[in-house]
Amino acid sequence: MEGDYIALSFTVLSLFLLTLYVPQVEGQRQPLVSALYVFGDSGIDPGNNNPLPTLIRSNFPPYGRDFPNGRPTGRFTNGRLITDQLSQLFGLPDLLPASLDPEFRGQKLLTGASFGSSASGYADSTSIPLSVLPLEIQVKNFRLYKIRLARLFGHETANRIVSEALFTISTGTDDFANNYYINPLTRGMYTIEQFQDLLLESLSEFIRNVSREGATKIAIVGLPPFGCLPSQITLHNITGNNCFEEFNEVASSFNAKIKALIENIKPDYPGVLIFYEDLYDKLLDIIKSPTKYGFVEARRGCCGTGLLETAILCNPSTISCPDPSTYVFWDSFHPTTECYQIIANDLFQQALAAINSPTTRN
């Protein structure tokens, strides 16, 4: 009897803490998902690379200049990431923490985290040479997180949170821009079609692994038009300032393969919602028509010349533009938080449509 009483008291306490911590959004009684779990690269990494022995970090100024208190957290932009803004849109905290942040503990575990690592990709050959976290390690870190969650709040609560959460993966740009197209060994081993198929095998394994951990909602974010990134134009379009269309065609064809993969594997995952989110079209429209969205500059990043600077090349000694809100890009590779806000709103609407559609779930 005493043991039953203790177990009951623990369960009641866990539920009480959960109701205390879950934030409320005006006009919304409860979050639309229990938690947000994100995997991928620098577009969604809020600082997991900070403790790693890598140069691919951004935990120094001028990164974070528009973050609360002007604090550089390891986010590769001037303020909040897409994932922070998505978390808020879903009715969760307005900052999605890094899973490796020492402050990520206690009640913060309840509403999710980013397990992403800047410069990571689908392929191990993209991540390992730079001493960042491959996708396999990101999933392993999720498993460790799940153990911590269960220890603190009980297995039933942990399983419920995971099963009602949205899992999102957003990666792949570094596989092409910083691996295939600059590494002669990779290009010597694979044609571009073979390399794309290799990445799809990694994506399939990711879906298999997180579904085994209890994921029931999995969003796969497609590639952006990475031929329009300032650094890629600088490096590859020697004759002008226009997007490097070869890269955009690779991104488009890979996105088509992701969508085909999702349709093919759906029967293997009954009860699991797996859906595609398009990043390409909205970002391309912003880049092609910046003034429509309130931007002035889409060719250069705000930091330095904006043509090549990123990571350690964008540092406290680098001059940055006075008003990042007028720029599509913060550095030569990553958008500003103002651009991320527009994309986050678009991805949020796509996610809502998928989650609420009776035809998308098996």
Side-chain angles (χ1 to χ4, degrees), residues 28-213:
Q28 177 182 311
R29 292 187 176 181
Q30 62 182 12
L32 301 176
V33 293
S34 61
L36 183 61
Y37 301 121
V38 188
F39 305 80
D41 55 26
S42 57
I44 56 88
D45 176 12
N48 283 317
N49 278 16
N50 293 353
L52 303 181
T54 180
L55 293 176
I56 314 301
R57 289 184 286 174
S58 60
N59 55 340
F60 46 79
Y63 290 100
R65 59 176 276 183
D66 299 307
F67 196 77
N69 299 320
R71 182 164 53 97
T73 59
R75 289 166 168 84
F76 272 89
T77 188
N78 56 305
R80 297 197 300 156
L81 294 173
I82 283 180
T83 44
D84 298 314
Q85 301 179 52
L86 279 173
S87 180
Q88 184 175 23
L89 287 168
F90 276 109
L92 300 169
D94 59 2
L95 295 176
L96 189 69
S99 65
L100 297 184
D101 187 340
E103 297 300 315
F104 180 56
R105 59 179 187 267
Q107 295 176 0
K108 291 182 179 180
L109 273 64
L110 290 166
T111 50
S114 171
F115 298 85
S117 179
S118 299
S120 182
Y122 286 113
D124 287 350
S125 60
T126 301
S127 313
I128 293 174
L130 296 173
S131 299
V132 300
L133 304 177
L135 195 54
E136 180 182 4
I137 300 300
Q138 295 182 32
V139 175
K140 179 181 178 181
N141 286 343
F142 172 78
R143 293 192 185 104
L144 295 174
Y145 151 82
K146 189 178 171 185
I147 293 171
R148 293 171 60 197
L149 185 66
R151 285 175 178 171
L152 276 176
F153 300 101
H155 288 282
E156 184 177 345
T157 297
N159 291 338
R160 181 184 62 77
I161 290 173
V162 170
S163 69
E164 296 176 2
L166 175 61
F167 286 69
T168 301
I169 181 168
S170 177
T171 193
T173 299
D174 288 282
D175 289 308
F176 295 100
N178 296 324
N179 183 352
Y180 188 82
Y181 284 107
I182 66 170
N183 187 339
L185 293 177
T186 304
R187 296 193 73 174
M189 293 176 63
Y190 307 100
T191 65
I192 188 62
E193 291 80 11
Q194 291 171 334
F195 189 66
Q196 288 177 328
D197 292 341
L198 177 72
L199 304 187
L200 291 174
E201 290 177 12
S202 178
L203 173 56
S204 296
E205 183 178 2
F206 168 82
I207 294 171
R208 184 164 55 250
N209 287 334
V210 296
S211 65
R212 287 173 178 170
E213 295 301 321

Side-chain angles (χ1 to χ4, degrees), residues 16-38:
F16 176 67
L17 289 173
L18 181 60
T19 57
L20 279 180
Y21 185 68
V22 172
Q24 300 296 313
V25 175
E26 184 177 353
Q28 177 182 311
R29 292 187 176 181
Q30 62 182 12
L32 301 176
V33 293
S34 61
L36 183 61
Y37 301 121
V38 188

Side-chain angles (χ1 to χ4, degrees), residues 32 36 38 43-44 81-87 89-90 166 168-171 219-224 255 275-283 286 339-355:
L32 301 176
L36 183 61
V38 188
I44 56 88
L81 294 173
I82 283 180
T83 44
D84 298 314
Q85 301 179 52
L86 279 173
S87 180
L89 287 168
F90 276 109
L166 175 61
T168 301
I169 181 168
S170 177
T171 193
I220 317 296
V221 181
L223 288 183
N255 290 342
F275 61 96
Y276 174 80
E277 287 194 294
D278 181 77
L279 177 64
Y280 187 101
D281 288 343
K282 178 60 70 173
L283 182 55
I286 294 171
C339 180
Y340 276 149
Q341 178 69 69
I342 298 169
I343 298 171
N345 288 330
D346 187 66
L347 294 179
F348 176 67
Q349 293 302 322
Q350 292 183 54
L352 281 187
I355 292 171

Side-chain angles (χ1 to χ4, degrees), residues 226-228 232-233 236-237 242-249:
F226 68 91
C228 295
Q232 302 310 299
I233 297 175
H236 300 284
N237 193 353
N242 295 324
C243 299
F244 190 54
E245 291 305 328
E246 178 184 340
F247 285 2
N248 284 356
E249 290 169 6

